[in-house]
């Protein structure tokens, strides 16, 4: 996914970034070398937690791709493409794909879902 870094916040060894994208803006933990402000990056998104159906991932009322951060929570709205037997879901966010571990009874594929992430990691894909 293409983002532009708008601000950097450092806390010991952790770099948090504020970013904008065509799907919205938010805050995430940056997992690569320190980025430059106002520079465009292509990133991979990782959600390092197991989300539970009906709690952190639910059917979305909106049929669109979006990202937003409220407080310490990032809300991701995307299309559910697949659910594997081990609970790993494939979620589309525009041209990007997210793989997220889940538990519980999933929705059927082809529907827009909203995912609540308490932590989102960004990796520079060096494109």
């Amino acid at each position: 996914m293409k983002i532009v870094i708008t601000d950097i916040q450092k806390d010991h060894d952790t770099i948090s970034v504020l970013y904008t994208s065509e799907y919205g803006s938010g805050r995430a933990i940056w997992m690569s070398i320190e980025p430059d402000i106002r520079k465009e990056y292509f990133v991979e998104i990782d959600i390092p937690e197991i989300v539970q159906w009906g709690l952190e991932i639910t059917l979305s009322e909106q049929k669109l791709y979006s990202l937003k951060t409220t407080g310490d929570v990032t809300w991701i709205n995307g299309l559910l493409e697949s659910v594997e037997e081990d609970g790993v879901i494939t979620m589309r966010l525009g041209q990007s794909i997210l793989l997220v571990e889940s538990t519980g009874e999933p929705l059927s594929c082809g529907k827009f879902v909203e995912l609540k992430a308490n932590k989102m990691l960004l990796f520079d894909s060096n494109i």
Side-chain angles (χ1 to χ4, degrees):
M1 180 175 75
K2 182 171 69 170
I3 67 168
V4 174
I5 303 296
T6 59
D7 196 13
I8 297 171
Q9 301 168 342
K10 296 180 193 175
D11 184 23
H12 302 286
D13 293 337
T14 303
I15 299 173
S16 294
V17 295
L18 300 178
Y19 65 89
T20 61
S21 74
E22 65 182 298
Y23 307 113
S25 59
R27 182 178 56 244
I29 297 172
W30 188 256
M31 301 301 294
S32 302
I33 62 170
E34 186 173 329
D36 296 323
I37 295 175
R38 292 183 293 282
K39 184 175 177 187
E40 188 175 272
Y41 292 88
F42 287 89
V43 295
E44 293 182 20
I45 299 171
D46 182 37
I47 306 299
E49 58 192 271
I50 299 173
V51 297
Q52 184 172 338
W53 286 97
L55 292 178
E56 291 94 10
I57 185 163
T58 57
L59 182 65
S60 176
E61 296 178 7
Q62 300 178 336
K63 309 289 187 252
L64 52 84
Y65 303 113
S66 67
L67 279 170
K68 69 178 177 179
T69 299
T70 305
D72 290 332
V73 175
T74 298
W75 299 91
I76 304 169
N77 209 69
L79 183 65
L80 180 62
E81 292 209 335
S82 68
V83 181
E84 301 299 322
E85 287 183 20
D86 62 1
V88 173
I89 65 167
T90 302
M91 184 175 168
R92 177 170 294 282
L93 181 62
Q95 298 296 318
S96 298
I97 296 290
L98 285 77
L99 299 176
V100 182
E101 290 184 69
S102 71
T103 62
E105 189 63 36
L107 296 171
S108 57
C109 297
K111 296 183 178 181
F112 275 84
V113 294
E114 182 176 65
L115 184 138
K116 174 187 173 188
N118 294 311
K119 184 183 276 189
M120 187 167 98
L121 309 178
L122 297 178
F123 294 85
D124 183 3
S125 61
N126 296 311
I127 294 178

